[in-house]
Amino acid sequence: MKRLFPYFLLLKPYWFAFLIALICGVIYGVSSGFGLPYMIDQVFPKIFPAEKLDVQLSTWELLMYISWFPLVFIIRGTSSYFNSYFINYCGIRVLEKIRFQVFEKLQRLPISFFHRNQEGDLLSRMISDTGQLQAAILQVSNDLIKQPITFIGAITALIVMAVQREGMAFVLLCLLVIPICVFPIRRIGELLLNKALNMQEKAGNLTSILSENLSAYKEVRAFNLESREKERFENVSENFIDARMKVIKYSHMLTPLIEIITAVGISAAIFQASRKSIQLDAVVPVIVALYMSYEPVKKLGGIHTSIKQALASLDRLEEILETDESISSPPEPIEIKKIRGELEFNNVSYSYSNRKEELNEIPALIDINLKISSGEVVALVGPSGGGKSTLAGLLPRFYDPDKGSVLLDGVNLRDLFLHDVRDAVALVPQKPFLFDLDVKKNIELGQSKYTHATINEVCQLAYADEFVNEFEQGYQERLGEKGSRLSGGQLQRLALARAFFKNSPLLILDEATSALDTENEDKIHEAMAQLIKGKTTLLIAHRFSSLKLASRILVMDKGRIIADGPHDEVYRNCDLYRTLYDQQNEGLT
Ligand code: ADP
């Protein structure tokens, strides 16, 4: 319960609904635990007197006594309904807040977090774990107030009856079976925590495989991977079912166990009552009160097991909530009034793995020293894995250097407001991502404090207007998930339009590796030439035809800069560059 306390604080805005639920829960508990047996105790002897009375009850009197039954059930039923309604409302609200907290956290976590965690597993945490939590919150909230009050009410009724009647004290002894119930409750709870954690992990694996498979639908067909995928899915699905059955095995064990233990208690009461020749009308209310005190124990045991299952899911959500936000704004960020766009990398090293066993892995960047002046266009060239994307990724602070620093206009990026840094960098990635929105909204996502052109203007600059105008709904045309309705060249042009719209002083152009038709390629080059004007640009060049846009070439290999200068000079002095350049030229001729 202590672990859950911070989450109870989330109830604060819903205190009124919680209060009503609490009051209704108390009314339900008192009417069930105390009211029911007490009413039976009072009414039964009047309706079925032990000795034959001279005067029979009149119909009206009989009706009056009988009406106590529906009355108690009306009070019990109504309070139960309102208790459930309001407590579920509170539970759902709290769950929504937790889900939102996790989602909000996911927006702030560094890129490295997404490298470490699979998309499917994160999806599973957001959907399946919060769902598990929801089921538990609803079950727990239904019984949390009602059952303890019912228990107290029933015990009070038992004590009142035991005191009022001679020879009834033995019923109190029957309550001794209750502590026995604590053992299975605790043991099963412990077992369930582990089993539930295991089940949620397996659910994560299942979602991971599924999301990977759905993203790779083309590859699955192209490489005939259908049966391999089926087998993989079957295996994880089987593991999930095993884990789930273990949870079912233990979670359903508790109720029958407690029922058996309490049945022994009730039998003992009947045995004693018969021994002491107590009349039936005196025994019935006692048995009802005894049942009313055992029932909450059973329900509270159920709550315990649900809480254990919920804790397993909460653990997995808290893992996200507690992840270090290593990349964030400093407490007192420096503000650069007008960014000129001068960059400086001082002794920068970066390694993707910070785990000990991988320390001997070659870092992605090693001792990079580099100055780029304002408005300079620098092409990054080199074999795949050389460190080009990693170097560019340091600018929007996707990563922070392990050693050394990156300065913008002489200020360390870490000392700036993170939002300002990201506003100052426009990125045109290799595979642009378009949201399932219309064209206009997709470009508007590029809005920054540097934006000054209109959507139409930027689309013209990026040569996107020609194909957008051909859409039936023009700029209002929806693009479909991930922009799947567009060709590679169109996607690139929209990404360029977004960068034109953002108009940031720093630009990263990560050229698409896939070949484009000549018309698209020419237009994209012309658009790029417009876009880089006046902006400090890092161009990750995959096609050497783009190199003419750059005034300076940086050749990167194995995390180091091995050549730096204008094309002619680098071509003359750097063997690697010469080989790569000549190979591409040969390919073209
Ligand atoms: P390039 O852009 O020149 O192809 P990268 O910057 O992508 O090179 O990669 C540099 C090195 O970092 C490579 O050795 C690559 O394997 C490694 N690397 C890149 N991304 C990751 C990642 N997410 N996790 C681990 N290693 C990575």
Side-chain angles (χ1 to χ4, degrees), residues 115 352 361-364 382-391 399 540:
H115 292 160
Y352 281 94
E361 199 182 272
I362 303 170
S384 171
K388 304 180 291 290
S389 312
T390 312
L391 184 78
Y399 330 101
I540 304 177

Side-chain angles (χ1 to χ4, degrees), residues 461-477:
L461 288 167
Y463 295 96
D465 59 329
E466 3 180 300
F467 69 86
V468 173
N469 285 330
E470 277 173 22
F471 289 151
E472 210 170 289
Q473 300 191 46
Y475 286 85
Q476 267 71 49
E477 184 90 3

Side-chain angles (χ1 to χ4, degrees), residues 357-481:
E357 69 268 24
E358 291 169 13
L359 275 185
N360 47 4
E361 199 182 272
I362 303 170
L365 296 174
I366 307 164
D367 263 337
I368 302 285
N369 282 296
L370 176 68
K371 274 190 181 167
I372 302 176
S373 27
S374 165
E376 197 170 11
V377 180
V378 178
L380 302 178
V381 188
S384 171
K388 304 180 291 290
S389 312
T390 312
L391 184 78
L394 293 173
L395 287 193
R397 284 191 72 196
F398 287 164
Y399 330 101
D400 276 341
D402 297 334
K403 275 195 286 178
S405 54
V406 183
L407 310 184
L408 170 62
D409 292 350
V411 184
N412 193 327
L413 289 181
R414 288 178 197 246
D415 295 331
L416 296 167
F417 186 39
L418 186 60
H419 190 275
D420 284 349
V421 175
R422 295 194 173 152
D423 228 17
V425 185
L427 169 70
V428 182
Q430 257 184 39
K431 289 186 203 139
F433 186 95
L434 294 181
F435 290 81
D436 185 16
L437 298 167
D438 64 29
V439 177
K440 181 166 173 278
K441 291 208 180 81
N442 255 300
I443 296 170
E444 274 171 352
L445 293 177
Q447 178 82 39
S448 77
K449 62 178 170 195
Y450 305 99
T451 299
H452 63 66
T454 64
I455 301 285
N456 278 337
E457 284 164 357
V458 296
C459 281
Q460 274 168 22
L461 288 167
Y463 295 96
D465 59 329
E466 3 180 300
F467 69 86
V468 173
N469 285 330
E470 277 173 22
F471 289 151
E472 210 170 289
Q473 300 191 46
Y475 286 85
Q476 267 71 49
E477 184 90 3
R478 275 176 86 103
L479 296 172
E481 205 183 340

Side-chain angles (χ1 to χ4, degrees), residues 347-350 362-370 380-383 385-388 390-391 403 554-564 574 576:
N347 299 317
V348 169
S349 295
Y350 180 78
I362 303 170
L365 296 174
I366 307 164
D367 263 337
I368 302 285
N369 282 296
L370 176 68
L380 302 178
V381 188
K388 304 180 291 290
T390 312
L391 184 78
K403 275 195 286 178
L554 283 181
V555 186
M556 294 197 69
D557 187 27
K558 299 193 183 80
R560 294 180 197 273
I561 297 175
I562 57 164
D564 180 359
C574 178
L576 177 65

Side-chain angles (χ1 to χ4, degrees), residues 2-17:
K2 214 164 48 188
R3 281 246 352 248
L4 295 177
F5 185 71
Y7 298 100
F8 276 105
L9 295 182
L10 298 176
L11 274 172
K12 222 167 138 195
Y14 315 109
W15 68 270
F16 190 64

